[in-house]
Amino acid sequence: MATPGTCTTFLAVFALISALLIGFYGAGSGVTWPVVFLTAVTGLGSLWLRRRDGGTERRVCVLVLGDLGRSPRMQYHALSLSKHGYNVTFVGFLDTKPHQEVLRKEKIKLVPIAEVKGVRVGPKILTYVTKVILQCLQLLYVLLRMETQSHILMQNPPGLPGIAVAWLVCVLRGSRFVIDWHNYGYTIMALSHGGTHPVVRLAKWYEHFFGPLASRNLCVTNAMKDDLQKNWGIKATTLYDCPPSIFRETPLKLQHGLFMRLANTYPQFQSRGCEEDKQVERTVFSECDLCEEAVTLRAERPALLLSSTSWTEDEDFSVLLKALEDYEGFIKAGASLPSLVCVITGKGPQKEYYRKLIDSLQLEHVQICTPWLEAEDYPVLLGSADLGVCLHKSSSGLDLPMKVVDMFGCCLPVCAIHFHCLHELVKHEENGLIFRDAQELAEQLKSLLSEFPGSGGQLGAFRRTLRHSGGPGWDENWDQNVLPLLSAP
């Protein structure tokens, strides 16, 4: 015999899919499908017993339709909630391990969900539709099985079908729905399909219809806040990304330890030459006197250039590769510049494509490696680097690259490619430089590294500015902007 929860899940799926179909087919007719949709959902709500208890107001679900380990902002949300005594159910994919602090918190419970694929035969639209239906079923099953939550806090994008499902569950269970807008999903889809593609147009309609149904909204920039208000009718609170305390300049001993571990896998970190002194442990960047346990940076070391990426269409790494070729040309032409080790971290769909391009380069003074780092090692490497590069170009022009926030937390100056609203984070010629193409980036690398490894020049000035810039950290920023939303009626 089916349980009440199973019956309710079935009815919820039926109502949700029916409402979506009414919306799709009624959009061009006289059918008042929003009224039908809302009426169906409201009626369905009476079928669900809202099992609230004394602990409901201290329970929050943090939902990501993506990899939790690669969703740092949502991990920080979960940590902040737990620090304020909330019991957090953290739902998402577990492809990579979240930060150790998330795993250690007793008040954070990880609930993994699988990434569904849909039917693999027939037209692509069939695959897409079946994938959405299966994700609806999966999310409803997971969200309705858990204890009633006071809030569901969801990241968007990705938001299809999560926004609709999470909103429906909140209606059924009397929870409050909060969307954290990182970007617009349809603009990301447009990068690969084009803005006029039917799926992109459907995704845009979907976000515009379901987005305003949230009880509260967060966003990552003031530019997005203004756009949500003007074009979506959504009142949002700006919560700037701020680096947590783990992002800071790395002490020399920790730098050397990380370099030694990376040298075991990546030859770019290995010491060059034929040093045989067993009392000294060396990498290409550092050396440690084993007798005195003293670590120093090598005077003849290369500069460590660092970038991180999800290897997606909104980051064109051919710009960096062309700039590195130009930098190589400067050295061969006689410029007094250091060699470079360029580390590009991350995972993503275009990684193999760019690795083949990297392997085809004939560079003598520039070495490139593409490691995947554990969550605990990434801030250590950022705090050890000499210069960061960001190639993130927002698909909407309204979000900011979190990697730059992390770099600034480590007092690491950045060269970042230009897009609208980047000025909210990167102040040109104050804490970094903004470039528009590979040639301009190459010239910036040449200028910034001209006095390396000395601390003078523009690179040193940027680092000193970052050290003294201060500003609120994540915890203070979250307490001021998010905590009041949770207690609001």
Side-chain angles (χ1 to χ4, degrees), residues 182-184 187-188 224 393-399 420:
H182 296 192
N183 202 345
Y184 300 147
T187 65
I188 296 176
M224 180 171 282
K393 292 186 74 171
S394 170
S395 60
S396 65
L398 300 172
D399 71 311
H420 177 66

Side-chain angles (χ1 to χ4, degrees), residues 317-381:
F317 266 81
S318 65
V319 174
L320 175 58
L321 300 183
K322 178 61 172 65
L324 293 177
E325 287 186 293
D326 290 349
Y327 185 89
E328 172 92 1
F330 296 151
I331 296 178
K332 288 184 175 180
S336 179
L337 294 168
S339 297
L340 281 181
V341 171
C342 178
V343 178
I344 308 171
T345 71
K347 289 181 179 179
Q350 293 192 323
K351 184 172 184 176
E352 286 306 312
Y353 167 76
Y354 280 109
R355 284 184 65 174
K356 290 178 181 178
L357 289 183
I358 291 167
D359 292 341
S360 70
L361 299 177
Q362 302 294 322
L363 302 177
E364 179 182 349
H365 302 282
V366 177
Q367 296 193 62
I368 306 171
C369 66
T370 57
W372 168 252
L373 299 175
E374 294 293 334
E376 290 74 27
D377 287 336
Y378 177 62
V380 178
L381 185 61

Side-chain angles (χ1 to χ4, degrees), residues 9 63 119 162 184 191 399 409 420 467 478:
T9 301
L63 175 61
V119 175
Y184 300 147
L191 292 175
D399 71 311
H420 177 66
R467 284 172 180 157
W478 193 92

Side-chain angles (χ1 to χ4, degrees), residues 54-60 77-88 105-108 150 478-479 483 486:
T56 298
E57 291 303 314
R58 305 303 296 175
R59 290 194 293 262
V60 175
H77 275 306
L79 287 169
S80 294
L81 285 162
S82 68
K83 290 175 182 176
H84 284 276
Y86 286 92
N87 292 296
V88 180
K105 288 287 186 180
E106 291 184 2
K107 286 186 172 292
I108 299 178
S150 66
W478 193 92
D479 291 352
L483 196 57
L486 300 177

